[in-house]
Amino acid sequence: MNKKIKYIVLLTCSLTLVGCSESSSIERWIDNPTANEIKVIIDGDELTIPAKSGVNYTFSYGKHTMSYNNDSLNFIVKPAKFSDSGFINPTQSNYLLYTIIYATSNMDENEYNKVLEKELNRIPAMINGEESEIELPVKIVNDVFIERSNYHWSYSFDQSFPEEITQDLNLKKHQSYYERFKKLYRESDFIEHLKQDGVKEEISFPYHPKKFIDIVQYVIPNIDVDNIKCEEGRQYMKNLLNDWNQLITLKGDAFEKSFKKIGTDDAIIQSYASEKKCTKDNDPDQSYHKTLGQFLDALRNARDVNFYVIK
C-alpha cells in the first residue's frame, strides 16, 4: 500500500514556543493507550491507569523504580539542558510520529511531492491480516520513556493538527513556502485518522514489547583510574567517579546540586580544563585525555533527556 497525504494551506502569522521552569522534580504523564486498565508500581506506589487514558505523576530528581506486568526497571530523573516534555509508556505500545507539510497554496505539486518524498518511510504493518509494509511519512515510536527532545514533535497525541498554520512572511510574488510539523498519535487514533482519510484496508502495526532488562541502559563506562599515568588526572577522575556514584543515591534538591558539579555544560568545560594538568611529560600516552573523554561522552549522551534507564 502506498498512500501519500497532502495538505496545502496558507501561512500568515507567527508561531510561539513555550519554555519550562526549573525545579527539583518533574511531573510526567503515564499513558495507557490500550483497551484495558493497567496497574503500574512507581517506587512501591501502585497506580491504576484507566484504558485509553493516563495519570500525571511527580518524580523528584534521582533514582526511581517502575514495575509493570511482573517486570521492573530502574531509571534516573534529572535536569536536562533544554527541559522539555515527554511521557511514560509502560506497555511499550506503538505511537506513530506523523509528519505533515504545510505549504502556501501556490506551491507546485511536483515540488511538494519532492519534499514529501523525503519524509516517507516503509514501515511494517498488518494489512487485511497479512504481513506487509506501508509507505507513509511516519516513524513508529515505542520507548518506555518517550522524550520530546528525542523526537521533536510539534503536537502530542492529545493535540490536534490545526487546519492551517499562519505566519508572517515577506514573500515575493508567486514565491512559495512550506514547513514540516510532526504529530504523535496513539496507534488506534492513527488508524482512525487513516480511515477518515479514505483508507479501506484493516491496518495494524507489529507489537513487540521488550523485557525491561533488554532495554538499552545508560551506563558510565568502566574506568580503571590506575591506568592513568598522570597523578593529577588520576585524582581528578577519582573525584568525578565519586561524585557520580554519590549522585545516584541522592534525591530532589540534593541531586540537582550534585548534578551541577558534573553534568552541566559548565562542569564539562571545567573538566576538560583539567587536562592541562597532564602534559606530554607526565602523561605521554594521553591516558588521562582518553579516560576523561569516555566519561564526558557518557554524560553528554544523556544531556538532553529528563528520564533514562539504568542498571
Side-chain angles (χ1 to χ4, degrees):
M1 177 180 177
N2 186 329
K3 180 168 179 58
K4 297 182 180 180
I5 304 171
K6 178 174 178 179
Y7 292 77
I8 299 289
V9 296
L10 182 64
L11 296 96
T12 59
C13 88
S14 63
L15 301 171
T16 59
L17 298 174
V18 178
C20 301
S21 60
E22 292 186 15
S23 72
S24 60
S25 64
I26 297 176
E27 186 177 73
R28 276 288 155 94
W29 179 261
I30 305 175
D31 197 45
N32 174 22
T34 73
N36 300 304
E37 173 187 281
I38 65 171
K39 294 186 184 297
V40 175
I41 300 173
I42 304 290
D43 300 330
D45 295 332
E46 184 175 271
L47 308 176
T48 299
I49 305 180
K52 297 186 180 299
S53 186
V55 297
N56 275 316
Y57 192 89
T58 300
F59 296 88
S60 60
Y61 289 155
K63 181 180 176 181
H64 296 271
T65 299
M66 180 175 73
S67 300
Y68 167 70
N69 198 25
N70 297 318
D71 205 358
S72 296
L73 58 72
N74 297 317
F75 61 98
I76 291 289
V77 179
K78 56 173 275 295
K81 182 177 181 181
F82 304 108
S83 293
D84 215 331
S85 59
F87 61 97
I88 300 175
N89 173 29
T91 61
Q92 297 178 71
S93 297
N94 292 328
Y95 294 78
L96 285 299
L97 186 64
Y98 174 65
T99 299
I100 187 172
I101 298 167
Y102 288 88
T104 49
S105 55
N106 64 338
M107 187 174 185
D108 177 80
E109 185 169 351
N110 288 333
E111 182 184 0
Y112 180 92
N113 287 335
K114 287 179 181 178
V115 174
L116 177 64
E117 199 170 302
K118 294 178 181 178
E119 304 299 327
L120 294 176
N121 296 299
R122 297 195 67 83
I123 57 176
M126 295 294 295
I127 300 177
N128 294 331
E130 296 184 1
E131 291 186 8
S132 185
E133 288 186 334
I134 185 172
E135 188 176 49
L136 285 171
V138 159
K139 291 181 180 178
I140 296 178
V141 178
N142 47 29
D143 309 331
V144 172
F145 299 106
I146 298 178
E147 298 275 296
R148 186 167 178 258
S149 58
N150 285 335
Y151 294 103
H152 308 291
W153 61 79
S154 311
Y155 304 96
S156 189
F157 54 79
D158 59 347
Q159 298 172 304
S160 300
F161 267 132
E163 290 297 322
E164 66 178 32
I165 299 292
T166 57
Q167 183 174 359
D168 287 328
L169 298 170
N170 294 317
L171 299 179
K172 297 179 180 178
K173 189 176 181 180
H174 305 306
Q175 183 179 357
S176 63
Y177 179 85
Y178 70 88
E179 276 197 58
R180 298 175 179 87
F181 290 86
K182 298 179 185 294
K183 173 171 165 53
L184 203 62
Y185 283 89
R186 291 169 172 162
E187 180 176 325
S188 58
D189 293 335
F190 186 71
I191 291 171
E192 184 60 31
H193 169 78
L194 292 179
K195 289 180 179 178
Q196 291 177 0
D197 205 66
V199 175
K200 303 299 183 183
E201 294 87 349
E202 288 296 322
I203 296 176
S204 64
F205 300 93
Y207 175 57
H208 300 301
K210 297 178 180 178
K211 295 291 292 181
F212 283 166
I213 196 172
D214 295 326
I215 293 173
V216 174
Q217 299 168 342
Y218 173 85
V219 294
I220 290 291
N222 291 324
I223 293 174
D224 185 352
V225 294
D226 292 333
N227 285 334
I228 299 174
K229 302 293 191 300
C230 166
E231 183 177 348
E232 292 87 347
R234 186 164 56 248
Q235 187 57 50
Y236 193 90
M237 180 54 64
K238 283 181 179 178
N239 292 336
L240 279 179
L241 291 173
N242 181 66
D243 288 342
W244 172 258
N245 290 328
Q246 183 187 34
L247 175 69
I248 60 177
T249 69
L250 303 176
K251 290 277 191 174
D253 290 336
F255 181 99
E256 184 176 19
K257 290 176 183 177
S258 184
F259 177 80
K260 286 180 178 178
K261 289 175 61 178
I262 59 174
T264 63
D265 280 354
D266 287 343
I268 289 174
I269 290 170
Q270 183 178 340
S271 292
Y272 274 124
S274 70
E275 290 186 294
K276 294 178 181 178
K277 300 175 181 179
C278 298
T279 66
K280 289 183 178 180
D281 292 331
N282 62 12
D283 191 9
D285 297 329
Q286 295 188 304
S287 59
Y288 179 59
H289 170 78
K290 295 171 185 175
T291 303
L292 180 66
Q294 285 183 302
F295 183 86
L296 298 182
D297 284 347
L299 287 182
R300 273 193 296 266
N301 287 340
R303 182 193 66 173
D304 296 337
V305 297
N306 292 117
F307 289 67
Y308 58 80
V309 179
I310 62 171
K311 287 186 176 181

